[in-house]
């Protein structure tokens, strides 16, 4: 395991220029950064089969497509409807209206699942870079399909790993929810990035100088701990080339991202004892104003669950992080992964 000496630091409040929020770094509230581990494996995986496994396709909600397209029992990836969707594709779409007072419209939208492997015991980090790339391209394909629906404005891609991170199935999978609205947190992020662009003439993510925050890099992406990380050992993976939408990724970049994402997941799992985490893709709305393109830049976030959220965070929206990003980056940077695992 990687170790790092923790200098005596005073608490510090940092501004997250991407989300326009503050994070309080309080190392006195923690052990040494290198001592952070998940208390136990996030979700015991004693099952050998489940509805997501090959041979159990009939137990799932309807399939949207599979990879390869003509495969039968030898499929690699399946994209299906969620059996318990948060929104419904069967409802009539209603435009949200701007009125004073409480507003409610139908819960129209799409909620889909990406089954990343037919084998129950295989995690995303067990796949090869090319196979992780195939999962990313399957996500891209489904997002492009959803983009053709005029009423859909935003798609949120996410992966919950571990019960405490929201995973109800231990079989490795990702999800996407397509909405007829742009969520307020997304709008706030875009507004913050636009404000930075107006002040500097630069994209806030293109302008990042990783330095001691860098964990690893590839031909097309960099992985780092953000300057004002909300969560201990949080990781962002950012395209080197300016791009507003995840679905603009091509096959070469998907495989490149697959390799770097696999490396980040392995480092995090080894150092933090396979913690529960959320993996999130932050992209731009489909119908975004073209004038916003210079300021918007998609990125991938991994947020480990190593401590709970308390009343201060809920009341203020200002999170307390017990690990300085520079310390977390060094620890993750120094984790050595066997070539056999890559």
């Amino acid at each position: 395991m990687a170790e790092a000496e923790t200098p005596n630091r005073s608490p510090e409040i940092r501004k997250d220029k991407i989300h326009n929020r503050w994070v309080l770094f309080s190392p006195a509230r923690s052990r040494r950064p290198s001592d952070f581990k998940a208390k136990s494996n996030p979700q015991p995986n004693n099952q050998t089969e489940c509805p997501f496994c090959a041979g159990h396709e009939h137990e799932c909600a309807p399939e949207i497509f599979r990879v390869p397209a003509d495969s039968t029992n030898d499929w690699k990836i399946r994209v299906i409807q969620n059996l318990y969707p948060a929104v419904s594709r069967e409802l009539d779409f209603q435009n949200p209206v701007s009125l004073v007072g409480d507003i409610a419209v139908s819960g129209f939208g799409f909620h889909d699942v990406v089954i990343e492997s037919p084998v129950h015991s295989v995690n995303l980090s067990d796949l090869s870079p090319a196979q992780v790339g195939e999962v990313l391209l399957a996500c891209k394909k489904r997002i492009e399909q959803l983009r053709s629906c005029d009423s859909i404005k935003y798609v949120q891609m996410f992966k919950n790993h571990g019960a405490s991170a929201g995973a109800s199935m231990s079989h490795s999978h990702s999800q996407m929810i397509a909405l007829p609205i742009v969520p307020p947190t997304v709008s706030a992020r875009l507004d913050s990035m636009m404000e930075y662009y107006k002040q500097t003439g630069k994209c806030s993510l293109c302008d990042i100088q990783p330095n001691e925050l860098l964990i690893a890099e590839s031909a097309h992406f960099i992985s780092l701990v953000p300057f004002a990380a909300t969560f201990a050992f949080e990781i962002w993976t950012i395209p080197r080339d300016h791009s507003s939408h995840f679905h603009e990724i091509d096959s070469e970049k998907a495989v490149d991202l697959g390799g770097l994402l696999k490396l980040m997941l392995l480092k995090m799992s080894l150092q933090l004892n396979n913690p529960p985490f959320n993996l999130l893709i932050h992209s731009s709305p489909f119908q975004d104003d073209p004038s916003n393109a210079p300021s918007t830049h998609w990125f991938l976030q991994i947020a480990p669950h190593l401590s709970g959220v308390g009343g201060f965070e809920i009341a203020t929206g200002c999170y307390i992080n017990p690990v300085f990003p520079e310390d977390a980056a060094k620890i993750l940077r120094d984790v050595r992964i066997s070539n056999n695992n890559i």
Side-chain angles (χ1 to χ4, degrees):
M1 301 298 177
E3 297 289 336
E5 292 298 324
T6 307
N8 292 326
R9 292 182 185 265
S10 299
E12 188 172 312
I13 304 174
R14 293 186 178 184
K15 178 71 174 291
D16 177 351
K17 65 185 180 184
I18 307 301
H19 297 97
N20 191 28
R21 62 191 180 201
W22 295 92
V23 179
L24 172 58
F25 291 90
S26 182
R29 295 170 61 89
S30 76
R31 303 151 287 174
R32 293 182 304 160
S34 56
D35 289 339
F36 267 86
K37 312 283 180 191
K39 293 180 180 178
S40 62
N41 285 336
Q43 190 163 288
N45 192 356
N46 298 323
Q47 291 178 281
T48 56
E49 292 186 330
C50 75
F52 287 178
C53 294
H56 294 258
E57 294 84 358
H58 61 284
E59 300 176 31
C60 295
E63 180 178 299
I64 299 168
F65 66 85
R66 61 176 59 189
V67 180
D70 58 353
S71 58
T72 53
N73 291 332
D74 58 345
W75 55 270
K76 297 179 181 178
I77 302 164
R78 291 179 73 224
V79 180
I80 64 172
Q81 297 179 23
N82 194 307
L83 192 60
Y84 305 102
V87 289
S88 174
R89 66 194 74 209
E90 305 300 329
L91 294 175
D92 292 331
F93 167 70
Q94 295 174 278
N95 263 314
V97 292
S98 298
L99 297 173
V100 176
D102 296 330
I103 301 172
V105 297
S106 69
F108 167 78
F110 298 84
H111 190 172
D112 301 329
V113 175
V114 180
I115 304 172
E116 298 158 355
S117 167
V119 181
H120 190 88
S121 60
V122 171
N123 290 313
L124 187 62
S125 58
D126 296 323
L127 301 176
S128 70
Q131 290 170 327
V132 178
E134 285 185 318
V135 172
L136 296 170
L137 289 172
C139 295
K140 164 193 166 85
K141 177 178 177 180
R142 181 55 183 154
I143 290 172
E144 288 180 326
Q145 291 175 347
L146 293 167
R147 187 177 169 218
S148 66
C149 179
D150 291 339
S151 55
I152 293 300
K153 295 184 178 179
Y154 186 77
V155 175
Q156 181 61 63
M157 276 290 312
F158 61 99
K159 176 181 177 64
N160 301 330
H161 175 76
S164 63
S168 57
M169 300 278 288
S170 58
H171 192 126
S172 189
H173 66 285
S174 298
Q175 301 180 62
M176 62 182 76
I177 296 181
L179 297 169
I181 60 165
V182 179
T185 300
V186 176
S187 296
R189 170 171 56 86
L190 298 176
D191 289 345
S192 180
M193 297 177 83
M194 173 56 76
E195 184 61 28
Y196 185 90
Y197 181 79
K198 288 179 179 177
Q199 292 180 7
T200 67
K202 300 176 182 178
C203 163
S204 52
L205 287 178
C206 291
D207 201 32
I208 286 179
Q209 303 298 319
N211 300 322
E212 68 269 31
L213 298 174
L214 182 69
I215 304 171
E217 55 189 331
S218 65
H220 299 288
F221 297 89
I222 60 172
S223 287
L224 51 81
V225 179
F227 172 76
T230 302
F231 305 97
F233 293 93
E234 178 180 350
I235 300 170
W236 289 7
T237 298
I238 305 169
R240 292 181 184 274
D241 296 333
H242 185 80
S243 176
S244 297
H245 297 94
F246 166 76
H247 65 257
E248 295 171 341
I249 195 170
D250 60 24
S251 298
E252 177 187 348
K253 291 181 179 178
V255 174
D256 187 55
L257 177 57
L260 193 55
L261 174 56
K262 175 184 173 74
L263 178 62
M264 293 303 101
L265 293 174
L266 288 172
K267 282 177 173 282
M268 186 178 67
S269 179
L270 184 61
Q271 177 62 36
L272 303 176
N273 190 31
N274 186 24
F277 66 83
N278 299 115
L279 189 156
L280 314 165
I281 294 178
H282 298 286
S283 193
S284 294
F286 292 146
Q287 303 166 19
D288 198 25
D289 187 332
S291 65
N292 293 336
S295 67
T296 57
H297 194 138
W298 75 268
F299 66 100
L300 187 152
Q301 175 190 17
I302 304 174
H305 287 239
L306 299 172
S307 58
V309 174
F312 177 79
E313 287 90 345
I314 294 172
T316 65
C318 179
Y319 284 72
I320 300 175
N321 187 338
V323 181
F324 271 90
E326 294 82 357
D327 295 335
K330 175 171 173 41
I331 290 167
L332 291 171
R333 192 166 56 241
D334 291 345
V335 174
R336 299 302 174 208
I337 304 297
S338 167
N339 289 335
N340 293 333
N341 293 325
I342 300 295

